[in-house]
Amino acid sequence: MAKVKYLQCVKCGKTYSPHEVMYYCPICGIEGTLYVIYEYEKLKDKFTRQALGKNREYSLWRYLDILPVENRPESLNLQVGWTPLYRAVQIQKELGVDCVYVKDDGRNPTASFKDRASAIGVAKAIELKSKVICAASTGNAASSLSGFAACAGISTYIFVPASAPEAKIAQLLIYGSNVVLVDGTYDEAFELCLKASEKFGWYNRSCAINPYLLEGKKTVSFEIMEQLNWEVPDWIVMSIGDGCCISGAWKGFKEMYELGLIDRMPKMLGVQASGSNPVNRAFREGKNYFEYEKPDTLADSISVGIPRNGLKALRALRESYGDVVDVEDYEILEAMKLMARLTGVFGEPAGVTCFAGLRKMIKKNRIKRDEKVVLIVTGNGLKDIKSAISAVEKPIAIKPDINELKKIIK
Ligand SMILES: *Cc1c(COP(=O)(O)O)cnc(C)c1O
Ligand SMILES: [Zn+2]
């Protein structure tokens, strides 16, 4: 792994060689998640706008130069990343703003942003010759790992809270994972998975432990910048659960800046459900630790009591001079409906939480009308049709009769 210079702890800053440490900082324990730091000086000549312009690999593997694996394993050929970025003209009109884009990451192979991380996690497991990968997840990380592991022919153990939406559990089962439904919260499923991975030597895909997964997530930012022809937006908006996604996106921007690909940075706006907002509370109070409260939100993918990558997320918010905002569940449902009706993009609750946050921040004038915004929709709406149906009106039933039809046509 010549590309990686060292791994660095988010908490104490100590650095480690990738051969020395597998998961987190041995001194700080599980809160000491690690950053993967590359030989940026050596990459400067190679990882350029021109080189990318000529690259015909339309997936996240186009960024292999700055990913922590030597190669894409031959078997791992699901098309991940290079998702569409749409100009959301109707959202602009609705909100009275100049420029909003929607990055539809629900278009990935298993229909969520998590696929970016799973691709790297499974590639890494293959490199390490691991026989089993395990993960704890509120849903998408697991269903995503299942799909990628199936593609590569590796077996998986998945720990999910029994409350995960049915579609996500269906994905696990159809991809052939060993599914352990934990009678408890996500936080408890996470602890159990951690113990199992230590006890049985399974490769742990949990993004909050495994430093390499964030490397897949950062590719969303590379794509956004290529798709915007290197014009840096003012705000990147995404939801926060554990905080891995937003940390990954921020790292992508930092690396592009470091490599001279961009000359300014966006602000990161994190959006949380008010029933699950530990990162927001810590941010407001200027703290570097999180106080547990039992999470309560219908947005299952961001229903988190203790954010497992919270320190990295706080750093992304602070370093970028960004912000974080809470939204209520009813605002998330409203956003789900409105996003679908204004863009044709059907996102799951956590996927459209970003849009609810944008609406709030524009009302507060924290985001200005002339600022350029990118919303990252992190998951597809078909993953949680129960929420979708609760967000909309019931269809009108009639007899098959034209006169009856006339009565209801507006
Ligand atoms: C996992 C997930 C998130 C949140 O990501 P974190 O890294 O946990 O902050 C948001 N939306 C969807 C659809 C997800 O699956
Ligand atoms: Zn440390």
Side-chain angles (χ1 to χ4, degrees), residues 3-138:
K3 289 182 271 185
V4 175
K5 198 168 172 188
Y6 51 74
L7 305 174
Q8 182 165 36
C9 173
V10 63
K11 206 167 173 190
C12 70
K14 194 168 169 358
T15 62
Y16 300 94
S17 127
H19 307 288
E20 216 176 339
V21 174
M22 187 122 141
Y23 299 121
Y24 44 84
C25 173
I27 298 169
C28 300
I30 200 154
E31 282 179 12
T33 56
L34 302 171
Y35 287 110
V36 180
I37 305 297
Y38 297 81
E39 300 274 5
Y40 297 110
E41 278 309 313
K42 288 185 196 160
L43 277 167
K44 264 187 181 160
D45 299 331
K46 210 167 156 192
F47 198 72
T48 60
R49 289 186 185 188
Q50 275 114 325
L52 287 167
K54 288 189 201 128
N55 192 328
R56 306 289 276 282
E57 170 64 60
Y58 293 109
S59 76
L60 67 63
W61 297 109
R62 65 194 273 104
Y63 308 115
L64 185 63
D65 283 340
I66 193 164
L67 291 174
V69 287
E70 284 310 318
N71 285 299
R72 173 179 71 76
E74 204 180 7
S75 59
L76 197 63
N77 53 11
L78 283 177
Q79 143 79 50
V80 54
W82 205 255
T83 56
L85 181 76
Y86 301 119
R87 184 81 184 253
V89 179
Q90 289 201 80
I91 287 185
Q92 293 170 187
K93 270 192 206 143
E94 171 78 20
L95 302 183
V97 299
D98 293 347
C99 186
V100 176
Y101 288 92
V102 170
K103 177 83 168 155
D104 183 10
D105 252 56
R107 286 278 295 269
N108 276 303
T110 79
S112 86
F113 188 87
K114 298 289 194 294
D115 287 349
R116 296 180 184 273
S118 294
I120 303 301
V122 173
K124 203 76 202 159
I126 293 172
E127 226 172 64
L128 294 167
K129 303 193 167 44
S130 302
K131 295 275 179 300
V132 178
I133 313 178
C134 63
S137 166
T138 54

Side-chain angles (χ1 to χ4, degrees), residues 168-182:
K168 296 181 185 178
I169 294 173
Q171 282 185 298
L172 300 177
L173 296 169
I174 206 81
Y175 288 131
S177 285
N178 299 296
V179 179
V180 186
L181 276 188
V182 180

Side-chain angles (χ1 to χ4, degrees), residues 114 140 217 239-245 301-302 348 350-351 378-379:
K114 298 289 194 294
N140 285 331
K217 293 187 169 183
S239 60
I240 299 182
D242 272 330
C244 307
C245 294
S301 300
I302 50 171
E348 69 162 88
T378 42

